[in-house]
Amino acid sequence: MAWRLLLPIAVAVAFGVFYRHPYVRSAVWVCLLLVSYDGWGRGALEAARRAGLPDLDVDLGVRLSWGMAVTLFLGGIACMLHFANRSFLFAEVAVGWALEATVLLHARGRAPSLRAVRASLARPLPLFIGVVAVLFFANELVGGVANPWTNRSDDEPLYFFIPQKLLDTGSMLEPYNVRRMTSYGGQFFLHGQFLLFGSHYQLNAVDQGLGTFLVLAHVFGETARPSLRRPRVLALVLGFLLVVTIDTVRYNVGSLMTVLAALLGTHRTWMIARRDDDIRPAGYVLTALCCASACVLRTSAAPPVAAFLGLTAIQHALPRPLRLQRDALKHAAVRVARTVGALGAATAASLLAWLALYRQSSGTWIYPLSRGNMTPGFAILKVESGVWFNLKHVLSDLAYPKPIATSILLLAAGALPLTLGRAAPRERATAGSDAPILVTVAFFAMIFTSVLGGAFDEAPNARYYFGFLMWAVLMVVLGAVRPGALGARGIVAIVAVLIHVAATREPLKKRFDAHLTLAENNIDPPFTAIQDSEAATRLYREAQAEIPKGARAVMTVEEPFRFDMKRNPLFSLDLAGGLGPAPGFPCFQGPEALAAYLLANGIDYIITIPYVPTRYLDLYDLEAWRKHRTATRSFLVYEAPYMVDAMESIEALRKTRRTVVKGGGLAIIDLRTR
């Protein structure tokens, strides 16, 4: 099977040839990460076969999800132990390449015969869709690599900073960073892998490029098994159209497509595991690893994926038919407990390292079940008061036309019968048979997310339910349209997809044009954006030079990722006042209490941006935060009093302590010296 190594080798050669071109290098590096995930996935497949998981006809989508899940599992352990630095991340990727080469070199098989090629050409539609899918992926990847847009309140201070800290120190420890409580860290880890050879302002390529490829691989894998020559063409077309026409809800470089891919991988792995009445241990382990990857990529995915797995585990364990006799019920209860317990234990074990890592910073294993070191009164998630307000808020979220204009119609389709007329035989472990449970879980999870996010409007809320909503509608479409069994569900699904495609034609055209324009403007000319970024980094390092090597500092700056975190232990105050180790951040106690608290925790310096009334800043604009204190029905109103108090205390300390202003206006406050 050495011929199958030709594509990975070609990608590696392209990486070497274009290494000095920062945009092409980053795009090819995404492809090399995919090769590594496939290698880890093949290794997991071989381990599962040896563990007795039978009849595995695993496609590329499932292998990639397994590979990403394994790398995140190992990465979580390394992060918890604080050695997931640049060397570890590269070694992990390289091991994936080695596994890919080893498995392919020793696998049996031969190159496609002329007869097979002719058979494929005789059915050109699937191949045409495959070619279009590759072009779509290329467009998304190029758009991600060439798009320098960021949300400056989220990306630079959080999504750029923590991955860079991981590369420099091997750690995600952030005990003062309250937004660290919003993520277990999976997307930060993927960003760290990309930053081995990519740049911060290309991080859109991770979700937009790598994530898109993973999702497309699942669509093809679910509809085109065992080969692209004999796919369920209508299901393939509809699933592909649904992915291509997703109306973006992107607010930052956080996880959207990557968590969707992880959820699809979890579901499809669980379908494989349930082929036998008695689920093999390898089935539990692989499902748990994929489930854990979804949870650490986007915390809002945890409740729906846990509920879905629990309900389908119960459904699988119950005998058919269930006899209402004492012995039969006792046997059923034992079987359900064993199935749910085994899956739950495997998932908990897969998550344990990430939970421990999370607790190191936040002081709690799971938020919002426990607030940990969060300052009393500070809120990230808050249920707004008023039944009518919450009802209108939920309806507004449900009616929001993004990411899919007909998402509610597609969820409703999942509850309809698969076939017309006589009921179909009861199935196990298929997208079609799981759909009623999945759409029910997704619908109530959307309501739950909407109520918890009552301080957010429908646009930002959409990113929190994007992953599990798209998971549900994709599996409904892929499972509803089957040869010879087009029922009510399939008809409604077809109509809903066509309506959505018609509604998003113009946004899709604008997105494609924007990606090509970005490529034209940012790839061919001299790399001015990268040069400007390097100049800004030099200014930050100039300011850092005022701090003795090894001294500890906290920061309220716009771009903390530019500092050298190998030189100094640096921690972001982020939304200042929201989080702090024992005895807790001293909010509303004045500047001297803040100085004493930081010194007691080993912090000698504060790096900040001096307050200038006429200067606008994205995250640390004191005047803007003062205005936010009077906002209504906004998450900012709950954060503003703490931010204003902390920023005013830091400004007061700047006037009473030795302060040096360097690096284009950064102030270094020495808390020990007046």
Side-chain angles (χ1 to χ4, degrees):
M1 293 260 282
W3 61 272
R4 291 192 175 180
L5 282 171
L6 293 177
L7 181 58
I9 290 173
V11 174
V13 170
F15 182 74
V17 170
F18 294 103
Y19 183 81
R20 293 186 179 276
H21 193 298
Y23 291 98
V24 180
R25 179 184 68 217
S26 297
V28 178
W29 177 243
V30 168
C31 298
L32 284 173
L33 288 176
L34 290 169
V35 173
S36 178
Y37 293 168
D38 190 48
W40 280 106
R42 289 182 185 276
L45 174 60
E46 290 299 313
R49 284 173 174 163
R50 295 183 182 185
L53 198 61
D55 303 325
L56 286 180
D57 54 340
V58 174
D59 54 77
L60 177 62
V62 174
R63 288 201 312 269
L64 288 171
S65 285
W66 289 0
M68 183 173 70
V70 172
T71 58
L72 284 171
F73 172 73
L74 297 175
I77 296 173
C79 290
M80 178 187 68
L81 299 175
H82 299 181
F83 66 81
N85 57 15
R86 183 180 297 273
S87 298
F88 173 86
L89 265 64
F90 181 78
E92 188 181 44
V93 173
V95 169
W97 299 335
L99 287 169
E100 178 88 346
T102 301
V103 173
L104 290 181
L105 284 173
H106 291 86
R108 296 178 180 178
R110 57 185 180 181
S113 65
L114 183 60
R115 182 178 179 181
V117 173
R118 288 175 178 172
S120 298
L121 294 176
R123 295 173 61 89
L125 182 58
L127 288 177
F128 173 75
I129 298 173
V131 172
V132 174
V134 171
L135 294 175
F136 172 69
F137 161 68
N139 182 275
E140 291 292 292
L141 179 58
V142 167
V145 167
N147 184 7
W149 177 87
T150 63
N151 180 336
R152 287 188 57 82
S153 293
D154 289 354
D155 291 330
E156 281 89 343
L158 184 69
Y159 287 105
F160 290 10
F161 167 60
I162 293 182
Q164 186 60 51
K165 185 171 191 176
L166 188 68
L167 290 173
D168 286 351
T169 68
S171 171
M172 294 187 193
L173 181 64
E174 278 293 300
Y176 305 94
N177 190 332
V178 72
R179 284 192 291 182
R180 180 67 182 84
M181 297 189 74
T182 64
S183 173
Y184 286 113
Q187 189 77 347
F188 299 145
F189 188 84
L190 298 188
H191 287 167
Q193 289 181 324
F194 175 80
L195 289 175
L196 287 169
F197 292 101
S199 75
H200 300 88
Y201 287 94
Q202 298 169 336
L203 276 173
N204 283 300
V206 175
D207 203 72
Q208 197 170 313
L210 184 145
T212 296
F213 188 92
L214 293 172
V215 172
L216 288 172
H218 278 297
V219 171
F220 276 82
E222 183 62 25
T223 57
R225 292 178 302 173
S227 73
L228 195 58
R229 298 195 303 273
R230 294 184 295 277
R232 293 185 287 121
V233 175
L234 184 55
L236 174 59
V237 170
L238 293 174
F240 175 67
L241 285 175
L242 207 57
V243 174
V244 170
T245 57
I246 290 174
D247 205 350
T248 183
V249 296
R250 192 173 305 284
Y251 256 63
N252 48 43
V253 297
S255 177
L256 293 175
M257 297 299 281
T258 51
V259 70
L260 171 56
L263 290 168
L264 291 171
T266 303
H267 191 166
R268 298 187 65 217
T269 303
W270 188 226
M271 289 194 295
I272 293 171
R274 287 178 290 156
R275 288 177 184 174
D276 286 345
D277 284 339
D278 292 323
I279 300 174
R280 308 294 180 92
Y284 287 121
V285 170
L286 289 170
T287 302
L289 287 170
C290 291
C291 175
S293 70
C295 295
V296 302
L297 286 167
R298 176 73 79 172
T299 53
S300 58
V305 72
F308 170 78
L309 290 177
L311 291 171
T312 50
I314 293 171
Q315 181 190 53
H316 177 82
L318 288 174
R320 297 171 176 80
L322 178 62
R323 292 179 297 170
L324 300 179
Q325 299 174 358
R326 182 175 180 179
D327 289 343
L329 291 175
K330 182 178 179 181
H331 173 74
V334 170
R335 182 177 163 87
V336 167
R338 185 173 65 242
T339 303
V340 175
L343 182 58
T347 303
S350 300
L351 278 169
L352 185 60
W354 287 103
L355 295 177
L357 170 68
Y358 183 78
R359 187 174 183 273
Q360 290 172 0
S361 292
S362 68
T364 180
W365 297 90
I366 299 175
Y367 174 80
L369 297 183
S370 169
R371 292 177 57 87
N373 295 332
M374 185 181 289
T375 303
F378 192 94
I380 297 176
L381 298 174
K382 184 177 177 65
V383 177
E384 293 289 312
S385 60
V387 174
W388 291 109
F389 172 83
N390 281 287
L391 180 59
K392 289 188 290 185
H393 189 267
V394 168
L395 291 175
S396 178
D397 280 350
L398 293 176
Y400 190 57
K402 297 181 180 183
I404 301 296
T406 53
S407 56
I408 300 303
L409 184 57
L410 284 165
L411 291 180
L416 296 174
L418 269 172
T419 57
L420 295 171
R422 188 177 63 182
R426 188 173 185 182
E427 296 180 289
R428 289 184 186 178
T430 68
S433 63
D434 286 342
I437 293 177
L438 178 55
V439 298
T440 302
V441 166
F443 180 74
F444 283 104
M446 286 183 69
I447 295 175
F448 175 75
T449 303
S450 178
V451 172
L452 271 185
F456 296 93
D457 62 27
E458 60 270 20
N461 256 359
R463 57 186 159 154
Y464 298 120
Y465 59 72
F466 172 90
F468 60 79
L469 174 62
M470 284 304 308
W471 165 36
V473 298
L474 266 175
M475 293 306 283
V476 166
V477 170
L478 298 179
V481 184
R482 302 181 304 171
L486 186 62
R489 187 186 300 175
I491 293 171
V492 174
I494 292 171
V495 172
V497 171
L498 293 179
I499 292 173
H500 166 71
V501 170
T504 55
R505 185 180 62 178
E506 283 303 314
L508 180 66
K509 179 178 179 297
K510 290 179 180 178
R511 190 168 95 230
F512 285 176
D513 287 346
H515 290 172
L516 294 176
T517 302
L518 284 167
E520 180 183 9
N521 293 339
N522 293 330
I523 291 181
D524 291 335
F527 313 123
T528 54
I530 294 176
Q531 292 168 356
D532 292 344
S533 182
E534 291 173 348
T537 298
R538 286 194 293 271
L539 290 175
Y540 271 70
R541 301 288 175 91
E542 176 189 332
Q544 185 181 359
E546 295 296 320
I547 300 174
K549 186 176 181 180
R552 294 156 60 92
V554 294
M555 307 170 288
T556 56
V557 298
E558 297 278 278
E559 299 176 344
F561 67 94
R562 298 190 183 281
F563 290 119
D564 180 1
M565 283 162 277
K566 295 189 294 292
R567 182 181 184 275
N568 295 96
L570 302 176
F571 306 98
S572 174
L573 289 182
D574 191 54
L575 298 177
L579 184 73
F585 201 95
C587 294
F588 314 116
Q589 298 176 37
E592 293 304 321
L594 175 59
Y597 170 76
L598 293 175
L599 287 168
N601 280 279
I603 304 296
D604 295 329
Y605 294 88
I606 299 175
I607 310 174
T608 189
I609 304 172
Y611 170 60
V612 178
T614 58
R615 177 171 57 187
Y616 173 78
L617 299 170
D618 287 273
L619 184 59
Y620 295 108
D621 191 309
L622 182 54
E623 285 303 316
W625 281 107
R626 285 169 174 163
K627 294 176 182 177
H628 291 326
R629 290 181 297 186
T630 59
T632 57
R633 303 290 191 185
S634 168
F635 68 97
L636 295 172
V637 73
Y638 305 119
E639 300 167 354
Y642 301 88
M643 279 287 281
V644 170
D645 175 71
M647 292 170 70
E648 289 179 344
S649 292
I650 292 171
E651 188 64 19
L653 289 172
R654 185 173 71 85
K655 297 174 181 178
T656 62
R657 297 299 195 277
R658 178 180 176 273
T659 300
V660 177
V661 178
K662 286 274 189 174
L666 295 181
I668 315 300
I669 304 172
D670 185 348
L671 295 174
R672 302 165 303 173
T673 308
R674 291 182 179 271

